[in-house]
Amino acid sequence: MPATTDTGSRTRTGRTRGTRSRHNFRGNMLPAALTVSPVAIWFGLLILVPMIYVIVISFCSLDSNYNIVFRFTLDNYKRLADLDYLQIYGNSLLIALTSTVICLLLAYPFAYLIARMRGRAKIALYMLVIVPFWTNSLIRIYGWRTMLGAQGLFNKLLMGAGIVDKPVEFLFTRGAVILGMVYALFPFMVLPLYTALEKLDGSLLEAAKDLGARSLKTLFTVTIPLTATGIFSGCIMVFIPTLGYFFVSDVLGGGNSSMIGNVIESQFRRGNNWPLGAALSVILILITLVLVKLYQRAGGDMESLGG
Amino acid sequence: MIASVPTAGASVATDVVNGTDAVAAAVPHAPDTSGPDVADVIVELKNVNKVYDGVTVVRDLNLSVRAGEFLTLLGPSGCGKTTTLRMIAGFETATAGDILLQGVHVEDQEPFERDVNTVFQSYALFPHMTVAANVEYGLKMKKVPRAERATRVTEMLDLVQLGGFENRYPAQLSGGQKQRVAIARALINQPKVLLLDEPLGALDLKLRKQMQVELKRLQRKLNITFIYVTHDQEEALTMSDRIAIMHDGVLEQLGTPVQIYDRPASKFAATFIGETNLFEGYVADLTPDRAEIVIESGRIAVELPDDSVPGKPAFGPEDLVAVSIRPEKVRFSATPVPDFVLAGQVKDVIYAGSFASALVTIPNGSEVRIQRRAGEALPQPGETVHLYWELADAVPILGQSGVVFDTIIAATLATDEAAADALNATPGAVKRDAFDVAAATNDATDPDLQREQSEQREYVDRAPTDAGTHSTDLHRRQAG
């Protein structure tokens, strides 16, 4: 309140009040700075500096020995316009989208179940989502690789049951990559959905029923619209990591660089072409930013509707 | 009835030959229009029980709701009234018993299959829909054509005086407006019965009173059966055609507001509705039409209701009874009155605008309240008065559990020496081992009403002096 009055009066009555308020502000600077600085240093060192570094080298060139030289060029970005790279971006987005949709379809009923459960069953279901976090996801993905392999659990079961004669090639397919993504990111979809569903007022569902809506109608006219925020944030939290989880497509997709994360990784390591890798990263960051912006807009709208 | 008389007369006059037939035809018609009939019952609950985790929330409930009436389920929180409403709506399943809507069993019907609608306590408006979309929702679900939907929504919003609010969202409405939208939304499907679960609970007092009147008017206009749940006894008295008082999952009394106020059937009903003075004692002397009852502070008399009163309690000598007498029915006299031995000293006189009351301390230490309209005579503080009443004004209530009573006796005998002394000192008091407890309560049990009254109360404080002179000191106190 006082801040608003000050800004308002400053434009009208001139310097005196403005100066005083600035003085007060400066007096409060020290504690504020002390409180904020650890976070600011953390943020600056670990996020801002590397980010600027990536952006800078994305405009640098390589000399004949594949060393980075600070000579401005747009070649790296030009190369990205190649059909190959566009295809990889397209493929990555497709896999991310498919994984997100499958995640949503699986997670929504599950989150609904947790939200409606009471007591022990609720805790048990909730832990089913949380416990996998306690193990490294890379290890868990290798677990899938073992199970999906030619001598893996699934093929043994299928052959034992006489459904197939020779092992099915689950591994190194797009399906396997999507499976891995869905598996690895499922909790990130469940948690925001659960939060949204838990907040949903049960009497609204009763009101819909009371007014003649059957279960499915209630779901589409009340439950889903009122949990749209959770759906959006869940989708964002699955979609964006999918683009970057290169190890999943590495382990389950056979490392044939089908996704953008793999390409970036290989440019930095095997390819030793940091500027190109950086350019690829910058584009990925831009895509992510656009998505987050879209989410904020959608989320913001939902909030003003729901409040 | 008035309308039917000229019609019958006209047919006699014009149709002279068949005059007798016309009269004969009119006669069997009469009971249908006046008295309650089986065909009139729209909701029927038979031996309904509801058990949650081993706790019986509603016990052996039998209730018939007549078409077009305003029935209130009244009781304190946790008495099972909301559960009963939710069983009628279909949100809860009865553990045992039958629920019939227009004579059809609905126990297994889903809420969307039942021809009833609910106004929820929290309104439960869909926050992502406009006012118009909220109201239209029921019609959409019933697949009413778009054009008809639009006109009916407009009509309904006009009915609840919310025309022009179509495009607002619930978050942009005040509590009273939300309430109206909730009512409009529930009424748009023209249900046979409207269920209202404490719909005015969240509104402030002034708005609540206004909405009470509006709801009642709406109910008369649309001629829809309302089943209304509240814990507010004043609300129930104001709006209802009949009140069902529930307590601990049991229906204690069902009757018109006047019946319930004048002839409460249980101690709970007597204290929950309005203010009352309650005396507990045993029947000492019994004739077919009256009983004399010995209480801790003396002896009182009461007229027994005649046999035509339904649920007339059957009293026997020495039965433990409670007697309820409303504060406005208590009379006082400077000299002893026949049939009564009940004297006390006036402790305080309280002036409350339109009425005033005197608090009289009787020998066992409890207070009896006498209430009069402002300007009518009341005894002065410090005076000793003999209390009595018209025998027909007091209501005898039977049905204390002997076990409970014995426990209280044991407890009071063990601890309360002073009470025993007071008993001995009282003229006319009877010493009796099996009887020791009598209480007179005059507290209104409804906290809302108490608060409301105390807000506008003016106290006349008169310091009592022994010579009968009074120093009067009038001042206001603001409770709060």
Side-chain angles (χ1 to χ4, degrees), chain A residues 204 206 209-210 213 221 226 305, chain B residues 86 112 117-118 127-128 137:
Chain A
L204 294 176
E206 285 186 346
K209 242 182 171 184
D210 187 64
T221 54
L226 286 177
L305 272 185
Chain B
R86 289 172 59 81
F112 51 77
N117 283 118
T118 308
H128 59 301
Y137 191 85

Side-chain angles (χ1 to χ4, degrees), chain B residues 2 11 31 59 71 75 130 151 170 187 209 296 319 359 370 408 411 450-451 479:
Chain B
I2 295 165
S11 46
R59 192 187 299 272
L71 180 95
T130 60
T151 40
L187 282 174
K209 300 228 163 180
E296 196 181 17
D319 273 350
L359 298 176
I370 312 172
I408 300 169
Q450 277 187 324
R451 201 181 317 121

Side-chain angles (χ1 to χ4, degrees), chain A residues 103-114:
Chain A
C103 247
L104 178 63
L105 293 179
L106 291 177
Y108 202 88
F110 189 70
Y112 194 91
L113 199 65
I114 308 178

Side-chain angles (χ1 to χ4, degrees), chain B residues 288-289 304-315:
Chain B
D289 62 341
L304 297 178
D306 61 57
D307 291 329
S308 65
V309 174
K312 179 200 170 198
F315 290 106

